[in-house]
Amino acid sequence: MARTNTTTQKATSAGKVVADNFSNTQKKSAAKTQSTVIIACTLAHGLKFDDVPNGNGGTKTIVFPGVNDSLRGKRDGILLGKGNSVAFQIDKEDWENIKRMHGQEAVFTGVNGGIPCLLEMKSVQEFRGREDELKEASHGLNPIDPESVNVEEVKNEEG
C-alpha cells in the first residue's frame, strides 16, 4: 500500500550521540530527562524512520546512527564489526511512536533470538555498565571468521 503524501514539511530530529564504546574521545553527555530517552544502537549502518508523527499532522525523520557512520564520505578507514555500539538520545515521544509503529521488526526483537539492535537505556551509566551484554548483540551483517566455517588457506607454491 502506498503511503499518502502530507502537505506539511518533513523535519529531522535533533537527537544526538551521547556515548559509544569504541572511541577514546568522550562525548558531551547530556543528562537524560523525563522527555528524552537514550537508545543503544549496535547497527553497523544507520537506520532511518521517515514516518514518525510530528504532532502537526505531518511526519518527521529520525535517523539512528550506526557505528560506522563516521566513515561516511571518507576514502579509507576501518569498519567496526560486532561488539560496538552507540548511545543516542532522542525525545521520548518519538521513541514511543517508533516502537508503536515498528516494534515487531527484527531490530526491536533481536535477530535469531538475540539482543535487539535498538535497546532503551536509563542513562549513559547504564550504557557503560551493559557493554559486555551489548558486545553480544548481532545485527546479522557481521563478517564471518573463515576458520569458523572450515575454510582452509590455499598455499601458493612456487615451482
Side-chain angles (χ1 to χ4, degrees):
M1 181 171 155
R3 188 179 309 155
T4 59
N5 290 335
T6 60
T7 57
T8 56
Q9 184 178 10
K10 289 190 177 191
T12 302
S13 80
K16 65 179 182 173
V17 174
V18 293
D20 60 45
N21 68 351
F22 52 85
S23 68
N24 293 331
T25 59
Q26 289 286 48
K27 310 274 190 264
K28 287 186 176 180
S29 178
K32 179 182 176 251
T33 65
Q34 293 293 339
S35 63
T36 63
V37 293
I38 295 173
I39 309 301
C41 180
T42 61
L43 296 167
H45 306 289
L47 182 62
K48 178 169 67 170
F49 294 99
D50 61 356
D51 57 353
V52 180
N54 65 5
N56 296 331
T59 60
K60 62 181 170 181
T61 301
I62 306 283
V63 180
F64 289 92
V67 296
N68 292 318
D69 280 359
S70 63
L71 298 176
R72 187 178 309 264
K74 293 186 178 177
R75 183 177 170 152
D76 56 2
I78 298 173
L79 290 172
L80 300 173
K82 183 177 177 181
N84 296 294
S85 56
V86 174
F88 187 66
Q89 183 177 21
I90 64 170
D91 291 335
K92 186 172 192 160
E93 183 180 351
D94 292 339
W95 174 243
E96 294 299 326
N97 285 327
I98 290 170
K99 284 194 316 184
R100 180 179 45 80
M101 293 186 306
H102 301 281
Q104 298 303 314
E105 296 174 10
V107 68
F108 295 96
T109 60
V111 177
N112 295 327
I115 299 168
C117 297
L118 294 177
L119 194 59
E120 185 174 346
M121 299 284 161
K122 293 179 181 146
S123 65
V124 174
Q125 290 75 23
E126 180 184 2
F127 172 77
R128 297 270 184 229
R130 293 176 70 180
E131 282 185 4
D132 290 339
E133 179 184 355
L134 291 171
K135 287 188 185 290
E136 298 302 317
S138 176
H139 45 70
L141 299 174
N142 299 318
I144 296 173
D145 180 22
E147 293 176 0
S148 70
V149 290
N150 299 325
V151 173
E152 295 180 15
E153 183 178 349
V154 175
K155 305 233 188 266
N156 191 5
E157 297 180 14
E158 293 182 28

